[in-house]
Amino acid sequence: MFVAGTDTNSTLSEWMMAELLSHPNEMKKVQEEVRSVVGNKSKVDPEDIPKMEYLKCVVKEALRLHPPAVFIPRRTRATASGKLGGYDIPSSTEVLINVWAIHRDPKWWEKPEEFIPERFKNSSTEFQGQDFHYIPFGIGRRGCPGMSFGVASVEYVMANLLYWFDWKLPAGEAAEKMDMTELYGLAVYRKTPLHALAIPNSSF
Ligand code: HEM
């Protein structure tokens, strides 16, 4: 419970911030949305979050490119009738569903390697529906039980970070040269930890 509920959220937040830092236009857009929804309350209320449509798209896109759990394990209960992808699959075969590859499959996604949160605008693709090309929380009855909590936490934390601070890369680091290498462990982390400068929101 604790491992599944902590590393996933923290690595997703770090990836999301890294993508925003390397995409200044998207950073500006999401920050403007967060600040205009919150207004001058000096506090992000949980009720503000449903109004942040673009933030939700950014979370979805970060989860598409950087699903914290890349392999979903399953075991076949019976021998598959007929061949699957040209192979006979006997019963009790352990299958690892490659979420990372599915999320970058050009059959389903236009410009799959690019960070484009807008692709989720007016889209019916949800976290755990019948969209088998988008499965960041797994599928079926063994799907992630912490999905709603996970999404709500990341949205709320990120909305606060974007509301209270402007974000910059340290001097000498260029957005287009950020190292986005992944490191596979319990979740998929950034190989190079993200360093970012937090500058207090000057409008207060
Ligand atoms: C962004 C956040 C999260 C992501 C991307 C994520 C993703 C996943 C994935 C892909 C699975 C495997 C599902 C499957 O086999 O079909 C899983 C399982 C699980 N997750 Fe999450 N998760 C997140 C947050 C959380 C949180 C916050 C909790 C609890 C507080 C949690 C608890 C669990 C547990 C207990 C399982 C194992 C379920 C089982 O095997 O029956 N997760 N998660």
Side-chain angles (χ1 to χ4, degrees):
M1 267 294 281
F2 285 115
V3 171
T6 47
D7 271 19
T8 44
N9 279 14
S10 62
T11 195
L12 174 61
S13 308
E14 195 181 5
W15 279 115
M16 184 170 152
M17 186 58 90
E19 287 292 358
L20 288 173
L21 281 163
S22 65
H23 293 86
N25 290 339
E26 285 71 11
M27 171 70 97
K28 186 164 179 276
K29 204 168 161 185
V30 70
Q31 201 149 39
E32 279 175 4
E33 179 190 74
V34 167
R35 290 181 182 175
S36 84
V37 168
V38 177
N40 290 326
K41 287 195 270 103
S42 299
K43 181 174 177 284
V44 183
D45 287 319
E47 299 77 53
D48 293 328
I49 307 293
K51 295 175 211 148
M52 298 177 186
E53 282 175 28
Y54 193 65
L55 175 74
K56 287 175 179 290
C57 294
V58 172
V59 173
K60 279 186 172 169
E61 181 68 340
L63 269 170
R64 183 185 70 81
L65 281 174
H66 308 288
V70 278
F71 292 118
I72 297 178
R74 290 288 187 274
R75 184 171 296 208
T76 56
R77 284 191 299 189
T79 303
S81 53
K83 287 186 190 288
L84 195 62
Y87 295 93
D88 294 315
I89 312 287
S91 67
S92 289
T93 301
E94 190 158 337
V95 180
L96 292 177
I97 300 165
N98 188 338
V99 181
W100 190 93
I102 293 171
H103 282 188
R104 290 171 187 241
D105 187 341
K107 259 198 305 198
W108 291 103
W109 306 98
E110 219 172 286
K111 300 187 183 162
E113 302 295 331
E114 289 181 29
F115 178 75
I116 311 176
E118 283 77 5
R119 68 173 86 240
F120 287 102
K121 221 175 151 192
N122 304 322
S123 146
S124 61
T125 302
E126 274 310 326
F127 291 122
Q128 206 182 43
Q130 295 305 309
D131 299 300
F132 293 136
H133 57 286
Y134 187 62
I135 48 171
F137 293 95
I139 22 177
R141 282 179 287 177
R142 285 303 288 271
C144 176
M147 180 178 73
S148 307
F149 181 40
V151 174
S153 312
V154 171
E155 286 174 350
Y156 190 62
V157 167
M158 291 306 292
N160 271 281
L161 292 177
L162 294 168
Y163 180 70
W164 289 106
F165 301 100
D166 294 329
W167 293 90
K168 267 196 190 158
L169 288 171
E173 284 191 31
E176 58 282 2
K177 289 206 177 134
M178 275 177 76
D179 182 2
M180 300 298 250
T181 312
E182 296 167 335
L183 187 68
Y184 186 61
L186 281 172
V188 178
Y189 311 97
R190 288 177 54 76
K191 188 170 180 199
T192 316
L194 178 65
H195 291 155
L197 300 178
I199 302 144
N201 183 348
S202 54
S203 53
F204 297 119

